[in-house]
Amino acid sequence: MTDKSKVVKELFENTELYLTYDYNLQIRKETVEAFTEGKSFNHILDIPSGTGAMSIPLLDRTDRLSLLDISSNMIAIAKKNIPEKYLDKTEAVNADFFELDLPKNSYDLIICLGLLAHVNSPEQLINKIAGLIKPGGLLIIQNTDSSHFYSYLIRFYLGAKNLIRKQSYKLNNVSAKFIDGKLRENSLELLKSYRYNQSFLGFSNLFSNEKKYQLTSNFFGNAKQPKNQSFGSDYTYLFRKKQ
Ligand SMILES: C[S@@+](CC[C@H](N)C(=O)[O-])C[C@H]1O[C@@H](n2cnc3c(N)ncnc32)[C@H](O)[C@@H]1O
């Protein structure tokens, strides 16, 4: 395991820290639902699965689901969340994605939400994932566009906060242009995207999760009926691998 993976693992072993932002999890779950509406699958890979909140609801539309996360506590929660009637077709693996030798061209849906910001090499991640998708298969991948004006505001805010309280953990800066280019190089074509903003900057503590969800959906709509998309720095994309 690389030093970066060790740090990320330690960070996400504290599941509470991440799961308190549940308005964001709700938006991600609805986006996955909207992007997969009416489709069924042979084998879905959810990497990183976290608690399985985005892929477990798809269990009645897939023959198999593989959940994978480096955090043992996230995987423990995911295991508890699998309905008993679906245990036979679900595997929950606690491992570093980069250390696993997974079968190439074999998943017809890969869900990758919240990982690009935390890996050693975003390029290595995209290349590895692209190789695992079946021709004609789908990829739902999330990234916060580092070149969007709202990302500059977030970095400015975090930079100022850092002057007061030093935080050593840094997220990767990955631009929308990079994602578009790398996925295209890997024969993936963009079908759809949905954008919103994940951060309320310094105002986060003023609002409950319900309020943040409501404000976000009022302004940005949802994946089925998006609005004001150019203001959103956080992209969830739906790509398809060419045949
Ligand atoms: C921001 S959370 C996203 C979880 C889930 N996809 C979601 O949208 O709620 C990031 C997750 O990535 C996992 N993770 C980070 N690096 C990983 C790696 N190399 N292999 C597997 N999981 C990893 C962390 O443990 C954490 O659960």
Side-chain angles (χ1 to χ4, degrees), residues 5 8-9 12 18 25 28 46-51 54 68-71 74 95-98 113-115 118-119:
S5 294
V8 177
K9 178 174 166 54
F12 284 101
Y18 177 65
L25 303 185
R28 287 186 176 178
D46 186 0
I47 152 71
S49 66
T51 63
M54 283 90 215
L68 171 61
D69 203 288
I70 202 169
S71 157
M74 287 286 190
D96 182 344
F97 177 57
F98 295 99
L113 307 175
L115 188 55
H118 301 289
V119 294

Side-chain angles (χ1 to χ4, degrees), residues 46-157:
D46 186 0
I47 152 71
S49 66
T51 63
M54 283 90 215
S55 55
I56 288 176
L58 305 183
L59 268 165
D60 56 352
R61 292 193 274 133
T62 185
D63 298 334
R64 284 179 72 196
L65 170 64
S66 299
L67 304 162
L68 171 61
D69 203 288
I70 202 169
S71 157
S72 59
N73 290 331
M74 287 286 190
I75 279 293
I77 299 176
K79 277 186 179 158
K80 284 194 196 135
N81 287 341
I82 304 165
E84 210 178 321
K85 63 177 175 175
Y86 292 130
L87 283 174
D88 284 355
K89 59 173 171 175
T90 313
E91 59 172 350
V93 182
N94 177 214
D96 182 344
F97 177 57
F98 295 99
E99 290 184 353
L100 286 183
D101 195 11
L102 297 169
K104 298 240 163 45
N105 298 314
S106 51
Y107 301 92
D108 49 5
L109 172 64
I110 296 187
I111 303 172
C112 179
L113 307 175
L115 188 55
L116 275 159
H118 301 289
V119 294
N120 240 340
S121 160
E123 180 168 7
Q124 187 192 3
L125 175 68
I126 289 176
N127 292 343
K128 179 158 179 169
I129 284 182
L132 302 177
I133 305 170
K134 261 186 199 162
L138 300 175
L139 168 65
I140 300 178
I141 188 165
Q142 172 277 338
N143 180 50
T144 303
D145 176 16
S146 60
S147 62
H148 190 272
F149 76 88
Y150 200 76
S151 299
Y152 285 100
L153 276 183
I154 296 172
R155 285 201 289 277
F156 179 75
Y157 164 71

Side-chain angles (χ1 to χ4, degrees), residues 180 183-184 188-193 236-240:
D180 200 47
L183 286 160
R184 227 181 272 259
L188 282 127
E189 56 187 354
L190 179 63
L191 301 182
K192 288 182 193 168
S193 69
T236 307
Y237 302 91
L238 175 66
F239 283 94
R240 182 173 51 211

